[in-house]
Amino acid sequence: MTVWDDVVGQERVQVQLSAAARDADTRVTLEARREPAPDASKMTHAWLFTGPPGSGRSTAARAFAAALQCTSPDRALGGEPGCGFCDGCHTSLIGTHADVDVIRTDLLSIGVKETRELVRRAQLSPAGGRWQVIILEDADRLTEGAGNVLLKAVEEPASRTVWLLCAPSLEDVLPTIRSRCRHLTLRTPSVAAVADVLIRRDGIEPEAAHSAARATQGHIGRARRLATDERARARRATVLKLPLRVEDIGGCLKAAQELIDAAAEDAKQVAEEVDVKETEDLKAALGASAGGRMPRGTAGAMKELEDRQKRRKTRSQRDSLDLALTDLTGFYRDVLALQMGSGVALANDDVRDSLDRIARGSTPVGTLRRIEAVVACRQALDRNVAPLLAVEAVAVGLRAG
């Protein structure tokens, strides 16, 4: 199994990355022999992966990083970099390679302080003698100041440093940064391709795999979670009942509150899994006594950790709400398909009765207005509108049609 096997439905991107990995391998070999590298090369120092959520941006970036670090002896015999079995490929894919840094955030943004540390690491020589690869999975969350810090590093990179930036679209990255990157656009994988990955990699039953892939409309990560997590299936079922519960104002407000409570519960579960361990680890590192008493001068570090955990909890709640709104958009997309008689495959065929009921009781124009209300709610949350207020507004909008 090569490193490209998990890059689902992105054949064109895979071809480009494979060619760049071959040129990078040639460059390393020639430099080791003190021979000049060829002028024409498909390899460059900065790449920008864009595509809709679930298209596999970070997966493609990790596969490319593994191909750059491939140490398979087959390369000397004409084999392609990225065998998937050598130590370089394996450690890159699982996140333990010394020269591959994967930067992701569960906070709302990436600030200047974190970016400066990242740039400092980028100036170091590779420990293994090949490439220093930095994967920034959330380049769209860089603040303006952080983007300006990163720009300098992308403009003047170290000779063996490769930047792999991931973002939903070009507009999410500063123009000065994206103009210095080679751009790769990923597409949403087909339902069949996602189902195949779930069956092959995760051992999920074919029927469940196809159902999850269809329900998430080709989003690989969400499909995997839906197929393996009972809580995710229960939450989705709750969200898809919301269109039937907005017949009066009281029902709208109650449904909105329940959606907010479900998102808060999700955020709490994430926090319970991570926060306690983080806090205990920091206390141990700061030399807390057996009774839990902290040494003097450590209150600032504990306060910083608490603030970061609070921001992460806020981000988790917003992510959960956004996921619910995405499911709601998919529901009304199916309603519109039924109303227009388009014959396209329905993402939520498992709730066909609800789809038929809403489709019969409304018009295509009303359905479009409801979709616009959901989109407006997502935009409001991006602008830091109070979540309950935004969700109540969308619930009322769904009732009005």
Side-chain angles (χ1 to χ4, degrees):
M1 185 177 72
T2 70
V3 297
W4 310 110
D5 285 356
D6 290 335
V7 184
V8 181
Q10 314 294 342
E11 291 77 12
R12 182 179 56 82
V13 169
Q14 180 181 330
V15 169
Q16 292 178 275
L17 293 178
S18 295
R22 288 194 300 270
D23 284 358
D25 192 57
T26 300
R27 176 178 164 183
V28 171
T29 302
L30 292 176
E31 286 184 3
R33 299 174 183 169
R34 300 185 182 277
E35 298 178 15
D39 294 333
S41 175
K42 295 180 175 63
M43 181 59 186
T44 189
H45 70 283
W47 298 75
L48 176 58
F49 297 78
T50 65
S55 57
R57 300 184 300 260
S58 60
T59 300
R62 285 171 179 262
F64 185 38
L68 292 176
Q69 305 293 7
C70 182
T71 56
S72 170
D74 292 342
R75 292 181 298 106
L77 304 175
E80 295 283 330
C83 65
F85 296 101
C86 69
D87 183 67
C89 288
H90 178 67
T91 54
S92 296
L93 292 175
I94 66 174
T96 59
H97 196 291
D99 294 327
V100 178
D101 286 314
V102 181
I103 312 302
R104 67 176 69 86
T105 183
D106 45 18
L107 304 179
L108 297 175
S109 62
I110 301 175
V112 172
K113 180 180 178 181
E114 301 95 317
T115 307
R116 282 179 177 159
E117 174 60 22
L118 188 60
V119 170
R120 185 195 66 79
R121 292 209 306 268
Q123 301 304 315
L124 301 176
S125 298
R130 295 187 65 78
W131 298 93
Q132 177 81 268
V133 183
I134 299 178
I135 303 173
L136 185 56
E137 291 190 354
D138 303 297
D140 54 308
R141 292 181 196 155
L142 289 166
T143 63
E144 184 176 354
N148 291 329
V149 171
L150 180 63
L151 174 61
K152 187 68 174 177
V154 175
E155 281 182 325
E156 301 174 3
S159 61
R160 288 288 188 85
T161 296
V162 181
W163 290 89
L164 307 180
L165 312 181
C166 304
S169 69
L170 284 174
E171 288 70 27
D172 292 312
V173 181
L174 286 176
T176 48
I177 292 179
R178 67 182 185 235
S179 65
R180 290 160 174 80
C181 298
R182 185 166 298 172
H183 180 215
L184 294 176
T185 303
L186 283 73
R187 61 184 182 181
T188 300
S190 68
V191 169
V194 173
D196 177 67
V197 170
L198 297 180
I199 295 168
R200 175 168 47 86
R201 271 197 51 179
D202 303 287
I204 297 170
E205 291 296 324
E207 184 177 351
H210 281 89
S211 176
R214 185 171 59 252
T216 56
Q217 302 178 58
H219 191 300
I220 302 172
R222 287 179 54 206
R224 180 175 288 115
R225 184 178 180 188
L226 192 62
T228 58
D229 188 346
E230 181 61 37
R231 291 182 305 181
R233 292 193 289 273
R235 182 183 60 189
R236 174 176 172 269
T238 299
V239 170
L240 296 184
K241 291 177 182 176
L242 191 145
L244 303 175
R245 302 178 57 199
V246 292
E247 296 180 352
D248 53 53
I249 293 297
C252 292
L253 299 181
K254 184 177 180 181
Q257 185 63 62
E258 289 179 2
L259 199 58
I260 291 295
D261 291 343
E265 183 62 26
D266 264 1
K268 180 181 178 182
Q269 290 173 352
V270 172
E272 288 176 348
E273 295 172 1
V274 179
D275 289 2
V276 174
K277 185 177 185 305
E278 276 186 348
T279 302
E280 293 302 320
D281 288 347
L282 181 59
K283 285 182 176 180
L286 295 175
S289 62
R293 188 185 182 96
M294 297 296 298
R296 289 184 178 180
T298 59
M302 293 300 299
K303 180 66 166 58
E304 183 179 352
L305 176 62
E306 290 171 2
D307 290 343
R308 187 167 72 247
Q309 290 174 343
K310 183 178 179 180
R311 292 195 301 271
R312 181 169 60 206
K313 185 177 180 180
T314 300
R315 169 65 197 282
S316 297
Q317 183 172 353
R318 290 188 182 180
D319 283 350
S320 181
L321 277 176
D322 190 68
L323 181 57
L325 294 171
T326 300
D327 288 334
L328 207 53
T329 305
F331 180 93
Y332 283 110
R333 171 259 190 194
D334 287 348
V335 170
L336 187 62
L338 290 174
Q339 290 172 330
M340 302 299 292
S342 66
V344 299
L346 301 180
N348 301 285
D349 196 49
D350 53 327
V351 290
R352 182 61 182 265
D353 291 345
S354 298
L355 294 173
D356 288 335
R357 178 177 168 182
I358 298 295
R360 288 193 302 268
S362 62
T363 65
V365 173
T367 302
L368 287 173
R369 290 199 188 103
R370 290 181 172 100
I371 292 174
E372 289 172 354
V374 177
V375 173
C377 181
R378 297 181 70 182
Q379 293 171 342
L381 291 173
D382 284 340
R383 294 193 297 268
N384 293 323
V385 173
L388 181 58
L389 183 62
V391 176
E392 286 178 345
V394 74
V396 173
L398 296 181
R399 176 178 179 270

